[in-house]
Amino acid sequence: PGSSPCRSVIMGAKAVGVELNKKLLNLQAGEHLTPEFLKINPQHTIPTLVDNGFALWESRAILVYLVEKYGKTDSLYPKCPKKRALINQRLYFDMGTLYQSFANYYYPQLFAKAPADPEAFKKIEAAFEFLNTFLEGQTYVAGDSLTVADIAILATVSSFEVAKFDISKYANVNKWYENAKKVTPGWDENWAGCLE
């Protein structure tokens, strides 16, 4: 529940009407390192999806897979190459910049009791500046409707909120976030995971 990548998959599954059979792994106890789990995912990361024997990990790849396999329409991941490319760019931005800035700043504090690193905090602010720019004049992060990019970034931004990062300084992000919370299926479960 504390993992924004896991929460993004939960919201994505809800958006396409897939009921997940969730399995909670205790990472501190090393449950992701058992031989059984390593057979499914040798990279031993979460989330990991197993769909009728097909195993996939990396939350953004799982989101795309769920929409392509189970979506009733292509609205969450349109077939148009330009729209899809923009969504992909935002997904990679989330993975490599936005979520990474969260991990680099907060994880050492949470898991290693390290002091806050002001340089890592500057990377968070830079990531939010980029996101704020992407959202100039936009209701959604990649086009004119909710997509998997919004779902992934919503899970990440909600983690920043629960960590007490001041999102309100970024007007476009703040406006998008308030709307995304209302229109994204599974928001309530996402927020409950954040609070946990």
Side-chain angles (χ1 to χ4, degrees):
S3 162
S4 38
C6 290
R7 293 191 321 269
S8 72
V9 169
I10 290 167
M11 289 188 288
K14 286 217 188 291
V16 295
V18 168
E19 186 67 36
L20 297 173
N21 178 17
K22 294 178 281 221
K23 308 248 186 242
L24 185 63
L25 292 180
N26 183 336
L27 302 181
Q28 282 73 30
E31 290 181 2
H32 62 305
L33 301 173
T34 64
E36 298 79 27
F37 191 76
L38 291 172
K39 279 183 193 166
I40 297 167
N41 175 352
Q43 200 174 351
H44 57 80
T45 55
I46 58 166
T48 297
L49 176 77
V50 179
D51 183 20
N52 296 313
F54 172 69
L56 183 65
W57 52 95
E58 199 337 275
S59 62
R60 295 143 197 98
I62 294 170
L63 283 171
V64 168
Y65 171 77
L66 288 172
V67 170
E68 288 188 322
K69 182 161 184 194
Y70 295 104
K72 312 282 186 279
T73 71
D74 73 344
S75 66
L76 291 170
Y77 195 60
K79 293 190 181 3
C80 167
K82 288 181 180 176
K83 288 180 179 180
R84 188 169 278 195
L86 185 60
I87 292 166
N88 289 338
Q89 186 277 323
R90 300 301 195 254
L91 289 170
Y92 297 141
F93 166 78
D94 179 48
M95 183 173 137
T97 303
L98 187 63
Y99 180 76
Q100 193 61 52
S101 74
F102 181 89
N104 290 346
Y105 181 72
Y106 290 105
Y107 286 0
Q109 295 174 66
L110 288 169
F111 302 119
K113 306 298 181 222
D117 177 354
E119 291 306 309
F121 190 80
K122 287 179 187 172
K123 296 220 166 145
I124 292 173
E125 293 175 316
F128 270 84
E129 286 294 338
F130 286 131
L131 183 56
N132 204 59
T133 299
F134 299 159
L135 286 162
E136 186 65 41
Q138 301 288 317
T139 303
Y140 298 97
V141 296
D144 55 8
S145 64
L146 185 76
T147 68
V148 292
D150 293 284
I151 293 170
I153 291 174
L154 177 60
T156 299
V157 170
S158 62
S159 291
F160 278 104
E161 182 187 7
V162 84
K164 307 276 188 254
F165 179 77
D166 185 6
I167 297 163
S168 70
K169 294 191 301 187
Y170 306 90
N172 298 332
V173 176
N174 198 50
K175 183 177 169 191
W176 163 82
Y177 185 53
E178 291 308 312
N179 180 62
K181 291 190 287 188
K182 292 176 191 155
V183 301
T184 305
W187 163 256
D188 292 340
E189 189 171 352
N190 174 74
W191 187 243
C194 281
L195 295 176
E196 188 176 315

